[in-house]
Amino acid sequence: MAVIKIENLRKDYKDVRAVDGISLEIGEGELFSLLGVNGAGKTTTVKMLATLTEPTGGDAWIFGHSIRDGKNEIREIADISMQETAVARKLTVGENIDFYAKLSGLDAKHREERKKFVSDVFGLDQVKNKQTQKLSGGWQRKLSIALALVSQPKVLFLDEPTLGLDVISRRELWKTISSLKGKITIILTTHYMEEAEALSDRIGVMKDGALLFVGTKEEMFAFTGKTNVEEAFVHIVSGGEYSA
Amino acid sequence: MRRSFSRIMTLAGRNEKEILRDPLSLIFMLALPLFMEIVFYAVFHKLTPQFEMKYLAPGIVVFSEAFLSLFAGMLIALDRASAFLTRLFVSGTRAYEFIFSYALSLVPIAFVQTAVFYLVGGIIDRSIFGVGMIWGILLSVVTSLLFIGLGIFFGSVCNEKSVGGVSSIVIMCQSVLSGMWFPVEGLSGGMITFMKCLPFKNATDLMQNALNGVTDPATDIIKPLLIVLAYTVVAFIAAIICFKKKMKA
């Protein structure tokens, strides 16, 4: 069943069309990756779905709530982890989790359950008394994603979650994100092809605001005649010009 | 409503921790003014009445509150730069909840500042102990809100690099335009009128008059109080408008 429905979604910034009338449906528990070069419109799409940016045209519904007039309802059921790490710098890891749990309005019993859940999933217990600003980039990113899960969202937007991380931290985060598959509907944007290949149920390829392809990686290979996501992506985006 | 209040209190608790865990904030909001209170009294109080404790202590209170602008502004600008606010915005926190939380987190700090400077001042010169001190501590909430409002406004419009410099202007204005370090009688009439139109001298007068007692409450308390309140309201309205605009962008 589709829990995210996007219809002809469009966003214009002055003379630039950042998102050009995309339509898409995403099922419950699905991990959908949006791929694209810089300026393709991935982050703008995610920001519109997360109700951070008003669309210029079209609409999208998340669990039946419109991103235009159902912002408050969507904010109750969705959360986002952005490209930039968004944590309280001088609070400890434990205090950050507690802070988000209280802000999300959970009662005391559920707060404790959620705190334990995110600490277990992300292995945060070992750093819970450390001040966030003293953590490595990898740990900060882990915490940032963990905080998005504290409120028990039904939909999670991950905007380039592993940007700037070393290869080991990235693999660790993949493992954590994989463990969430099927439980939460996730839309992930990334520049890393191997990330999309390892994690996604389906992949969407964007260029100049338009959605050029949507399908599983197998369908992507069949569509392009390639055998890995990177080659298939390059083929789609360049119209075959840069294909190996 | 209850949920909103709970969110404001949660945010305020976090803001307070962020500010108090910065050693610089403790140095500038507490240690430096305290050092100035003790040293300036010891060196100058016999040379000029300006530095008698009954004038110096309330002046130091308002001077230390000016640093609230700096630290409020820096916290907001850094939160905006790190996408922390955007993240909270998605989770349903409203603009007015952010503003109230920043204000609420700083008022207790101002309250402690005032109590410490009056207590130390009273230990040095016992003549300042009295009912006026209680009035002074209560009115310091009003004067602190002026500087908090200015800080929130600067934090909303400036980035994390420029907010320190811009907020320093408030501290400089409080030093130069409040008349706390020198007698204003020697200045030109135009300059005195200019100082009386701004909130800095009025905030200092209000605190000094509250501590030392008044002959005419309308002139000595109500007039400076209304001027300070007017600037405070304008600062908060401007802060809310700019903050909302920035968050929307």
Side-chain angles (χ1 to χ4, degrees), chain A residues 52 75-76 79-80 82 84-91 95 99-100 102-105 144 147-148, chain B residues 3 7 10-11 14 17-18 21-22 75 78-79 82-84 86-94 248:
Chain A
L52 277 172
R75 287 170 185 176
E76 293 288 328
D79 216 319
I80 186 169
M82 291 178 290
E84 307 90 350
T85 303
V87 295
R89 300 170 298 279
K90 291 195 177 70
L91 266 56
E95 285 171 339
F99 168 69
Y100 273 86
K102 279 182 181 164
L103 264 192
S104 62
S144 196
L147 294 177
Chain B
R3 176 94 190 266
R7 269 201 295 251
T10 305
L11 281 165
R14 170 263 166 184
K17 280 179 189 157
E18 290 270 355
R21 286 179 185 176
D22 182 353
L75 180 63
L78 275 169
D79 283 348
S82 70
F84 179 78
T86 315
R87 169 72 163 283
L88 296 186
F89 209 56
V90 178
S91 60
T93 312
R94 316 280 202 277
K248 219 171 181 180

Side-chain angles (χ1 to χ4, degrees), chain B residues 140-155:
Chain B
S140 73
V141 173
V142 179
T143 52
S144 70
L145 282 172
L146 165 72
F147 294 105
I148 292 166
L150 290 171
I152 295 172
F153 171 67
F154 293 140

Side-chain angles (χ1 to χ4, degrees), chain B residues 92-196:
Chain B
T93 312
R94 316 280 202 277
Y96 75 89
E97 292 171 347
F98 285 117
I99 301 287
F100 282 130
S101 76
Y102 287 117
L104 263 182
S105 61
L106 289 160
V107 168
I109 296 174
F111 196 81
V112 171
Q113 282 179 310
T114 311
V116 168
F117 300 137
Y118 277 166
L119 188 68
V120 171
I123 292 167
I124 295 169
D125 178 358
R126 288 189 185 177
S127 70
I128 70 164
F129 278 125
V131 181
M133 191 181 276
I134 297 166
W135 282 113
I137 291 172
L138 291 175
L139 283 171
S140 73
V141 173
V142 179
T143 52
S144 70
L145 282 172
L146 165 72
F147 294 105
I148 292 166
L150 290 171
I152 295 172
F153 171 67
F154 293 140
S156 303
V157 293
C158 301
N159 63 31
E160 77 278 18
K161 286 173 188 143
S162 63
V163 72
V166 174
S167 300
S168 301
I169 295 170
V170 173
I171 299 167
M172 195 189 73
C173 285
Q174 179 54 38
S175 297
V176 177
L177 299 173
S178 69
M180 61 181 285
W181 303 125
F182 53 87
V184 296
E185 286 72 29
L187 299 173
S188 69
M191 188 63 195
I192 294 173
T193 307
F194 177 64
M195 287 164 75
K196 283 182 176 173

Side-chain angles (χ1 to χ4, degrees), chain A residues 172-192:
Chain A
E172 279 177 1
L173 210 47
W174 287 5
K175 203 174 147 191
T176 310
I177 294 169
S178 285
S179 71
L180 300 171
K181 279 176 75 172
K183 297 169 190 159
I184 301 170
T185 306
I186 299 173
I187 296 186
L188 175 144
T189 74
T190 184
H191 278 296
Y192 300 114

Side-chain angles (χ1 to χ4, degrees), chain B residues 11-32:
Chain B
L11 281 165
R14 170 263 166 184
N15 296 339
E16 200 168 76
K17 280 179 189 157
E18 290 270 355
I19 290 172
L20 292 179
R21 286 179 185 176
D22 182 353
L24 281 179
S25 65
L26 292 176
I27 290 170
F28 284 106
M29 290 196 295
L30 209 60
L32 175 70

